Amino acid sequence: MLNILVVEDNHSILELIELNLARRGYNCDTASDGQQAANLIETNHYDLILLDIMLPEIDGYELLAYIEPLHIPVIFITAKGSLRDRVRGLHLGADDYIVKPFEMEELVARVEAVLRRAGKGNTLLTLEDVEIDLIARTVKKQGKMINLTMKEFDLLVTLAQNKNIVLYRPYLFEKIWGEDWEDDTRTIDLHVQRLRKKMDWSDKIKTIYRLGYKLEVES
Amino acid sequence: MKFSTKLTLSITTLIFLLFSLGGHLMIQQSFDYAREEAQRQFAKEHISQRLLLENHLFGKQLDDQKLTAQDVVQAAKSTNHFRGLALYDQQLIPLYSSLVMEDPDVLKKLIKNERAIGNQIDTAYHDKYLMTTFTDYKVVDLDGKQTMFIYTRLTALHEPLYMVNTYDVSYVYEERKRQYIHFLYIDALILILAAISVLLLSRLMTSPLKKLTKVSEEIANGAYDRRIRLDTPDEIGLVAQSFDKMADAVESKIHELERMVQARDDFVSNFSHELKTPMTTMMGYADLLRSRENERELQIKAADYIYKETKRLSELGLKLMDLMSLSEEYIQKECVPVTKMIGDAGEHVEFAHVFVDRILIQSVLHNLKQNAEQAEASEIHVSGKISNQGYIVTVWDNGKGIPEHEIERIKEPFYQIDPSRTSGRRGSGLGLALCEKILKAHGAELEISSQVGKGTSVSFKLECCE
């Protein structure tokens, strides 16, 4: 399991990030000021650090200079979206930055991208006898390749990443088709049916009446 | 053209012209004098020769009563030893001539001249000496040699005779020429010296102007702190001083503008920061709620976060609107007893009426008390005192106090001393800015004194009324 340190002085955001990363299977530690973060970095090993710039005690820039020699990838979280701030962060050795307000999806995507670049990312999702390669975008069931369309693959990944959780239809539609939900259940239902068939998962992908779908697997 | 060049050219030209004129006048005068001198001397000689000639002729006349042209020539020959001499009869036919060169035109002119002036000759003088002393002269350039023709009329025969002597006066002219050439050298020298000295002088005098130009260019390029600093008491010094004054004014204005821009930028940047943080929270939790089924505990928590942040944002929006719109025109002042705002009169609160907008001042007090609470004060007192300038309200607390270097900044919008946002209680950061603005509309100001660890006291002054 990969360890991520989240340094953010806003409690609600901190909690939110922790929640989202934990759901993706990361082990999260949190710090709400620079001093606390520095102490944690000293005692624990981290694969990635999410760092807010405006922090009490020791600010993000200072902390970055402290992290640099440890070669831990860093993503800046900042409310200052100005070019100067971003460039300064990147110059100091941040691997990426994310500007408030941001969506958790984006944050998670960036975390995964940075981890992959560092050679630490999860590129393989395994669910019982199914293996999903996120980079090659291939699916194998019992070692046998299964042909999926783009949308079907995205649907599978989303369900797999949120296994055993009910996902609502509008969310799924928005995430996979990238369009606003317009009360059109047919498209998504059709894709789910095809996916069930191809994966032979008619019992595993559950329809939750009026709400959405859930992938039920052993965790 | 550069000013110093202009100055040099014009002054040098002027000096040259004046000097040349002066030199010319001097030379001319000395030449005139020399020529007059020569004329006087030669006139004397002429007359003495004439006397000699006349004597001779008189002698002949006494001897044989009759003078012939031959006699005249004889006499002329015997008396003329050194100078050119010529005698002419009335028809201007030369009787005798030893002139190197004849010039009958000169004679004609001289005669004409005599006739013109002749009438003015003193007849008494003429009678007394039985002769005319009228002599006239003319200088003629003969083959490059200035020759002076001196002429008189004598009556030796029964008819008038014209006697002409010529003298070489070219040395006078030579001298003038020599002086001119000599003067030309001096003039050239003066020209060069004048040009150099005026150039140096004008450079010296225009150097402050050069500095002025340089400094004003630097200022134009953004170096607003540059000054000329010239302390000469002349006009250029005055210009420099007023230029410096102008630059001072410009600099302070620029700084003021920069401060204003900085304040505005800070405001916008702080404001956007204030917006972005709750936005992230709200968006994140809302997304959580809408995308999947969550545990009830998390649902409640997410809804709570969203509710609180929304509320805070809406408060922020309202305060911001107050802050923006508040000005003297919108406040409604009336005479209110202080007890309506501060609380009962007593040991700490002296009774008086103050001229204020009650709701706004109450909001100031509310904000100040809230700040005191946030400073973890266990005791908060509000006191009121009548002073000779008005009514002074003080809010005192025993909270953690404000570090000295922060006092300056706490009135700035969005500025918060402890940006630790981990504590749930967090203001908008606009409270003191709003108080300051309300009090400003009342013609008052917040006075803050604080000691870290001991507490803070904030006071302001209100206008008393009957």
Side-chain angles (χ1 to χ4, degrees), chain B residues 27 30 34 170-180:
Chain B
I27 292 170
S30 106
S170 62
Y171 68 93
V172 176
Y173 289 82
E174 288 293 329
E175 176 63 14
R176 183 174 69 164
K177 197 174 158 193
R178 195 193 60 80
Q179 277 182 357
Y180 266 125

Side-chain angles (χ1 to χ4, degrees), chain B residues 331-401:
Chain B
I331 68 167
Q332 291 177 329
K333 289 202 245 182
E334 53 186 340
C335 218
V336 225
V338 290
T339 45
K340 267 199 166 177
M341 301 183 299
I342 305 177
D344 293 337
E347 197 188 334
H348 294 299
V349 181
E350 291 181 50
F351 185 80
H353 282 86
V354 285
F355 190 56
V356 295
D357 185 318
R358 188 167 66 91
I359 294 170
L360 289 179
I361 293 299
Q362 266 177 330
S363 141
V364 169
L365 285 168
H366 176 74
N367 268 302
L368 293 179
K369 280 188 215 164
Q370 229 176 15
N371 284 348
E373 275 168 30
Q374 260 170 327
E376 292 158 13
S378 58
E379 275 183 75
I380 302 168
H381 291 300
V382 181
S383 62
K385 239 171 66 181
I386 301 168
S387 83
N388 48 0
Q389 290 129 358
Y391 192 83
I392 295 172
V393 181
T394 308
V395 177
W396 172 90
D397 70 65
N398 65 349
K400 50 184 170 183

